[in-house]
Amino acid sequence: MYILKNSFISITRNKGRNISIGIIILVIAACSTVTLSIRNTANNLVKEYEASHDIIGTISFNRGQLAEKFKGGEDAKKSNIEAFNNIEQLTLENIKNYGESNYLKNYYYIYTTSLNSDTLTKATDSYEYEVENKETSTTSTTKTTGGQNNEKSKGGPNGAGGERHTITNNNTTTIITRSKEKFQSDRNLTGDFELDGYSSYDAMTDFISGNYQITDGEMITDFSSFECAISSELATLNEIEVGNKITLKNPTTKKTYDFVVKGIYKDNSNADDSANMYSQSANKIVTGSTVIKTLVEDDSTLVTNITPSFIMQSEDVIEAFTQELKDKGLNEYYTLNTNLDELKNATQSIENVKTFATMFLIITLIIASIVLFVINVINIRERKYEIGVFRTIGVSKFKLTIQYILELLIVSIIMLCIGCLCGVFLSKPIGNMLLQNEIEASKTADEEVLNNFGRGEKLDLPMEMNIRGVAKVEPINSIDAVVDVQVVLQLLVIGILLTIVSSLASMISIQRFSPLTILKERS
Amino acid sequence: MGILKLENVGYRYKDAPKDKYVFKNINYEFEQGKMYAIKGKSGSGKTTLLSLITGLEKCTEGDVLYNGKSLKKMNLDKYRNTEIGIVFQSYNLLPRFTAIENIILSMDVSQVKIKNKKQRALELMKSVGLSEEQSKRKILKLSGGEQQRIAIARSLSYNPKIIIADEPTGNLDKETESEILKIFKHLAKDENKCIIIVTHSQSVCDAVDYIYELKK
């Protein structure tokens, strides 16, 4: 107990010395608080980000590898196409087989096909309309009386489509030609209605991310019944409401399928690369993957496409899962691509800030330890006499060491508290300033890359680079550096370690000093 | 049997030649209730001998026995803060502490159970002729004589059996010297302490019961 009392007496009676030590510790504490809070917050942000953004893998066709085997010349065209046709397409069974893996958290897929409809009008910026053309001629030799002769034939002049009616009435022959003319913009769309069959709600990444949003009704609930959600554009164009039925037709077998409209969704992406009248999702009909499976069972020739998404357990399993896919027989022309690079890029700026904060902390602590050590060496030399007196009256070396460490520790803790308070106010602005600098530096680098491609004005690189069909990844662009219990505890540990390191001088001196020598020197 | 016994004690500095001793074959015995003076010329090893007795240095030869037990086998910190009180020629008080704090500190270090340490410290100060007002002063604001009295009061604070004083009156005037000697005499006769004074002062030698002289 007297050790603590002596420490307090010594602190209060050596104000000058302790204030200098205190100021140094205050600066260290403030710097450490700022760097620790930035580091921890950045760490948590990255962890949260990684936790909320799964590593998603998808299987893509490796066109490059096929191209390597292409042959040139007119004669090779057929063999090239045959080679392409010979590559097996991914089947639903393949995807399910690949998805049954210990390396995955989950998997889902979008099973896509397209159907036509006799009753629905496709949302497109072209339309067909009927044109009637009448040609009347009069002949004097016609003998037909009373009534009329009506001939109907298909095929228009010049081989064009349409109907031709010839009406002969008395001496007048009227040829009515009805043909369909198409009015369309120069930027034509192809295809009819795309049916996207989702295997689960997880697969509906556009709805999860908010690109699409149900504005009327609700999302389909049964993935195996003929329910669907259609775009607001298609609904408006065809005056369809929730609860209505729409009929779609297999383009080959002409078999029709009735779908109940459960919901109408809006495409929130205001702009896309094309400048069409309707959005790319206008003719997209959302349904369950089992529905598509039923369609395929009815007609195995129906053209389908499967886009699988494999949710990885972690970054570490990507290689093993790739190998597993090969072992399970994934064709060499398919490759597994992930969004790992996008995830890393999104957190890169904050990782840089974290690294900077860590480096700054280490340098601060090294310099601080050296400064405090030197101050303590000087301090101990000044207090040699005191050590001698304490030793002669029977204070053990151990207790004396503890007393000197306590003195520094008390000063350290008081200053750490004040420094911590300063750090609380400084952390957030400094953290955001560092991050903004990083983002600016990163943007400048992106701008340089885009300038190289003559696209200097398009700076929103991460949004544009939604490559390989994986989910878009938004970068982190703000940091709310918070001084929490973890930071305070880390600061306390740093304070104790600094105190011990800088007290080494006292510890060594107390062990080395002979009290008699000290007192003789004094005398 | 004496409380303190020096058996064939010899001391040689570490860097000195093997046969060059400060002193050799010292055989002294000290008893409670008696005053002793150790005298000798400058360089005769008086202070060195005192260091051996207080455990601040270790004998090169022989042994120092406290109550029949070798100091080599004792916890010397405990020995210094409980069994002996040391009064140095240069007082060796803590300058940043007040007079009373220096005395209380010794009581704290000794861990001897004392009910009211402040009260005892004030009584001790009074017994060496210092007032309560002086007790609150910092050491450096006291005169040499006053500091010497504080040093004596400090050495008595935890009631040790032996008081060892190195030139306790060396820096004092005749009047103060006489007062200090009176205090030592009282401690030996009335409180049964063993008083060992290292000195070359004749008046001190006149006041003690036994004189040991160190000769080169």
Side-chain angles (χ1 to χ4, degrees):
Chain A
M1 191 62 194
Y2 75 90
I3 295 173
L4 189 65
K5 192 173 83 179
N6 286 353
S7 299
F8 273 112
I9 291 174
S10 191
I11 290 166
T12 51
R13 308 273 165 85
N14 293 282
K15 287 192 184 103
R17 186 192 70 209
N18 288 308
I19 286 170
S20 349
I21 293 175
I23 289 168
I24 293 167
I25 295 173
L26 178 74
V27 174
I28 296 163
C31 289
S32 303
T33 309
V34 171
T35 48
L36 277 175
S37 65
I38 291 172
R39 193 178 168 278
N40 288 2
T41 312
N43 217 13
N44 291 339
L45 268 177
V46 171
K47 275 185 187 167
E48 280 171 23
Y49 194 85
E50 285 171 355
S52 62
H53 290 74
D54 285 318
I55 299 171
I56 302 170
T58 191
I59 295 175
S60 311
F61 180 63
N62 191 345
R63 197 167 289 106
Q65 194 160 343
L66 180 70
E68 280 176 18
K69 293 182 180 173
F70 277 172
K71 293 168 189 165
E74 190 67 28
D75 299 338
K77 278 182 180 172
K78 196 182 170 192
S79 63
N80 285 343
I81 293 168
E82 275 174 355
F84 177 66
N85 286 340
N86 284 338
I87 296 168
E88 284 176 18
Q89 276 200 304
L90 289 174
T91 64
L92 197 56
E93 284 67 36
N94 289 147
I95 302 304
K96 285 180 178 173
N97 181 27
Y98 302 152
E100 297 298 323
S101 169
N102 291 331
Y103 300 124
L104 302 179
K105 282 186 201 169
N106 190 12
Y107 78 99
Y108 48 78
Y109 52 88
I110 306 171
Y111 201 7
T112 309
T113 189
S114 62
L115 296 177
N116 289 339
S117 177
D118 290 335
T119 52
L120 287 180
T121 304
K122 185 185 172 190
T124 174
D125 50 5
S126 68
Y127 76 96
E128 286 182 342
Y129 59 97
E130 207 165 68
V131 178
E132 193 175 275
N133 188 26
K134 283 184 184 177
E135 283 179 27
T136 308
S137 59
T138 309
T139 52
S140 56
T141 54
T142 306
K143 289 178 181 173
T144 308
T145 54
Q148 62 181 44
N149 186 14
N150 199 343
E151 283 176 29
K152 192 177 177 183
S153 64
K154 294 232 174 176
N158 309 323
E163 288 180 0
R164 183 178 168 180
H165 299 267
T166 307
I167 301 166
T168 310
N169 194 357
N170 296 329
N171 297 332
T172 309
T173 301
T174 307
I175 300 168
I176 303 169
T177 310
R178 286 199 186 96
S179 62
K180 284 186 176 176
E181 286 199 2
K182 204 173 186 181
F183 178 78
Q184 64 176 51
S185 74
D186 294 337
R187 311 174 191 106
N188 194 19
L189 284 173
T190 57
D192 283 320
F193 302 101
E194 181 184 314
L195 253 81
D196 286 350
Y198 291 92
S199 64
S200 67
Y201 290 122
D202 290 331
M204 298 179 178
T205 50
D206 279 324
F207 286 93
I208 292 167
S209 67
N211 282 347
Y212 299 165
Q213 188 182 9
I214 295 283
T215 52
D216 195 6
E218 59 173 359
M219 178 48 74
I220 58 163
T221 48
D222 186 351
F223 286 75
S224 59
S225 67
F226 281 70
E227 295 176 349
C228 70
I230 60 168
S231 73
S232 55
E233 292 160 291
L234 194 63
T236 308
L237 190 67
N238 291 283
E239 295 178 324
I240 298 168
E241 290 176 356
V242 171
N244 289 165
K245 275 186 180 176
I246 57 168
T247 306
L248 298 173
K249 188 174 78 178
N250 185 314
T252 316
T253 63
K254 311 295 179 191
K255 187 177 176 181
T256 57
Y257 301 93
D258 288 338
F259 287 78
V260 178
V261 177
K262 296 284 282 184
I264 294 168
Y265 68 87
K266 186 185 161 198
D267 188 343
N268 287 326
S269 50
N270 294 322
D272 52 43
D273 291 341
S274 61
N276 292 319
M277 189 171 153
Y278 291 101
S279 68
Q280 288 177 351
S281 62
N283 296 304
K284 203 179 270 186
I285 296 170
V286 173
T287 188
S289 59
T290 317
V291 172
I292 309 295
K293 196 183 164 197
T294 308
L295 299 180
V296 175
E297 281 166 3
D298 284 352
D299 175 18
S300 60
T301 61
L302 196 67
V303 178
T304 57
N305 185 27
I306 302 176
T307 312
S309 295
F310 301 106
I311 318 299
M312 305 289 165
Q313 289 282 8
S314 72
E315 183 185 339
D316 308 327
V317 304
I318 295 172
E319 210 172 306
F321 182 64
T322 308
Q323 186 56 47
E324 190 180 284
L325 288 178
K326 278 183 189 169
D327 296 344
K328 284 181 176 176
L330 181 68
N331 195 294
E332 58 174 329
Y333 291 102
Y334 292 100
T335 52
L336 179 78
N337 290 314
T338 68
N339 61 345
L340 187 64
D341 287 346
E342 282 84 344
L343 285 174
K344 296 272 180 205
N345 283 341
T347 55
Q348 191 56 53
S349 297
I350 209 142
E351 285 282 1
N352 289 347
V353 170
K354 195 179 101 181
T355 310
F356 177 77
T358 308
M359 290 306 294
F360 187 76
L361 179 69
I362 292 168
I363 292 167
T364 307
L365 291 181
I366 291 172
I367 293 172
S369 305
I370 294 168
V371 171
L372 281 175
F373 183 82
V374 171
I375 288 179
N376 264 289
V377 170
I378 298 165
N379 179 24
I380 284 299
R381 289 176 80 87
E382 282 174 4
R383 296 178 74 180
K384 251 169 115 174
Y385 168 71
E386 193 181 295
I387 294 169
V389 175
F390 275 121
R391 295 284 295 120
T392 52
I393 62 170
V395 179
S396 68
K397 288 175 182 176
F398 175 74
K399 284 181 179 171
L400 200 54
T401 308
I402 296 292
Q403 183 188 316
Y404 279 51
I405 292 174
L406 265 178
E407 280 179 32
L408 197 60
L409 197 63
I410 292 165
V411 176
S412 300
I413 287 172
I414 293 167
M415 289 304 164
L416 281 175
C417 292
I418 301 169
C420 191
L421 279 176
C422 298
V424 168
F425 295 105
L426 293 171
S427 298
K428 199 173 170 181
I430 293 177
N432 276 324
M433 193 183 75
L434 288 172
L435 186 62
Q436 284 312 313
N437 286 343
E438 269 301 316
I439 289 169
E440 284 303 317
S442 164
K443 268 190 178 177
T444 309
D446 292 342
E447 196 176 350
E448 281 171 9
V449 172
L450 283 168
N451 275 333
N452 295 341
F453 287 90
R455 295 174 185 166
E457 289 178 4
K458 288 187 174 182
L459 295 178
D460 200 6
L461 192 64
M463 294 294 285
E464 289 173 2
M465 291 183 74
N466 181 22
I467 54 169
R468 298 200 293 259
V470 293
K472 280 182 183 174
V473 178
E474 298 288 342
I476 299 174
N477 51 22
S478 77
I479 179 169
D480 286 330
V482 177
V483 179
D484 54 12
V485 180
Q486 196 187 359
V487 172
V488 173
L489 286 176
Q490 284 175 328
L491 202 61
L492 195 67
V493 172
I494 286 174
I496 292 169
L497 284 177
L498 261 184
T499 307
I500 291 170
V501 169
S502 52
S503 298
L504 277 173
S506 345
M507 291 184 206
I508 296 165
S509 304
I510 290 166
Q511 301 306 315
R512 273 184 47 230
F513 289 165
S514 150
L516 200 64
T517 315
I518 298 167
L519 298 177
K520 270 182 186 170
E521 279 174 15
R522 170 82 171 193
S523 301
Chain B
M1 188 190 162
I3 190 166
L4 196 71
K5 200 173 175 186
L6 275 65
E7 281 184 347
N8 300 317
V9 169
Y11 186 80
R12 176 170 55 82
Y13 290 112
K14 276 178 190 170
D15 50 354
K18 276 191 176 178
D19 57 340
K20 182 119 186 184
Y21 283 85
V22 179
F23 46 75
K24 209 175 173 183
N25 294 325
I26 304 284
N27 290 288
Y28 294 161
E29 196 167 342
F30 304 95
E31 286 177 22
Q32 281 184 272
K34 299 273 171 21
M35 276 178 78
Y36 298 87
I38 298 172
K39 70 176 220 178
K41 288 179 182 171
S42 294
S44 60
K46 298 188 294 293
T47 304
T48 305
L49 184 65
L50 185 141
S51 304
L52 299 180
I53 294 169
T54 54
L56 290 168
E57 283 285 338
K58 284 176 184 166
C59 315
T60 318
E61 282 177 10
D63 210 349
V64 179
L65 304 173
Y66 174 77
N67 272 338
K69 197 175 176 184
S70 168
L71 289 193
K72 289 171 186 168
K73 291 174 185 170
M74 287 179 73
N75 177 343
L76 294 175
D77 291 324
K78 188 82 187 156
Y79 170 68
R80 276 199 297 273
N81 65 39
T82 318
E83 309 300 339
I84 59 165
I86 313 170
V87 181
F88 293 94
Q89 185 179 9
S90 51
Y91 328 126
N92 290 345
L93 296 165
L94 292 167
R96 288 197 177 90
F97 283 54
T98 61
I100 196 164
E101 280 169 354
N102 267 282
I103 298 168
I104 292 173
L105 174 67
S106 276
M107 290 189 242
D108 288 334
V109 173
S110 75
Q111 290 178 326
V112 171
K113 279 186 183 173
I114 298 161
K115 227 179 181 183
N116 190 336
K117 288 176 184 169
K118 192 179 173 186
Q119 186 59 39
R120 174 156 170 82
L122 285 170
E123 282 168 11
L124 282 168
M125 288 185 73
K126 200 177 171 187
S127 71
V128 293
L130 293 169
S131 67
E132 192 172 342
E133 191 272 324
Q134 285 167 311
S135 72
K136 292 170 190 166
R137 285 194 204 160
K138 291 261 184 74
I139 292 303
L140 295 177
K141 289 187 177 170
L142 294 169
S143 69
E146 286 166 337
Q147 286 187 45
Q148 192 64 289
R149 289 161 202 256
I150 297 291
I152 293 167
R154 182 181 66 179
S155 68
L156 296 169
S157 62
Y158 44 89
N159 201 22
K161 289 174 183 155
I162 304 168
I163 305 286
I164 301 162
D166 184 12
E167 303 276 10
T169 57
N171 300 325
L172 306 178
D173 56 66
K174 285 276 170 196
E175 200 180 329
T176 315
E177 182 184 32
S178 163
E179 280 176 30
I180 297 289
L181 285 173
K182 263 188 198 170
I183 294 165
F184 283 137
K185 211 165 230 175
H186 158 75
L187 289 170
K189 305 299 169 198
D190 302 331
E191 297 193 24
N192 200 31
K193 309 281 181 203
C194 171
I195 311 289
I196 304 167
I197 304 170
V198 171
T199 186
H200 50 236
S201 157
Q202 191 51 49
S203 48
V204 173
C205 290
D206 293 342
V208 300
D209 301 310
Y210 300 97
I211 300 167
Y212 293 120
E213 190 172 1
L214 282 171
K215 286 182 180 170
K216 269 202 159 185

mmCIF file of all heavy atoms in Angstrom, chain A residues 302 309 503:
data_model
loop_
_atom_site.group_PDB
_atom_site.id
_atom_site.type_symbol
_atom_site.label_atom_id
_atom_site.label_comp_id
_atom_site.label_asym_id
_atom_site.label_seq_id
_atom_site.Cartn_x
_atom_site.Cartn_y
_atom_site.Cartn_z
ATOM 1 N N LEU A 302 -36.829 -27.560 -76.441
ATOM 2 C CA LEU A 302 -36.921 -26.156 -76.026
ATOM 3 C C LEU A 302 -35.531 -25.638 -75.630
ATOM 4 O O LEU A 302 -34.817 -26.271 -74.849
ATOM 5 C CB LEU A 302 -37.882 -26.048 -74.832
ATOM 6 C CG LEU A 302 -38.401 -24.670 -74.476
ATOM 7 C CD1 LEU A 302 -39.312 -24.117 -75.576
ATOM 8 C CD2 LEU A 302 -39.167 -24.716 -73.156
ATOM 9 N N SER A 309 -25.384 -20.089 -59.542
ATOM 10 C CA SER A 309 -24.592 -19.264 -58.609
ATOM 11 C C SER A 309 -24.246 -20.137 -57.413
ATOM 12 O O SER A 309 -25.145 -20.658 -56.755
ATOM 13 C CB SER A 309 -25.389 -18.046 -58.150
ATOM 14 O OG SER A 309 -25.633 -17.208 -59.234
ATOM 15 N N SER A 503 9.941 1.572 -18.586
ATOM 16 C CA SER A 503 10.412 1.410 -17.202
ATOM 17 C C SER A 503 11.615 0.476 -17.110
ATOM 18 O O SER A 503 12.175 0.288 -16.033
ATOM 19 C CB SER A 503 9.298 0.846 -16.325
ATOM 20 O OG SER A 503 8.228 1.722 -16.284
#
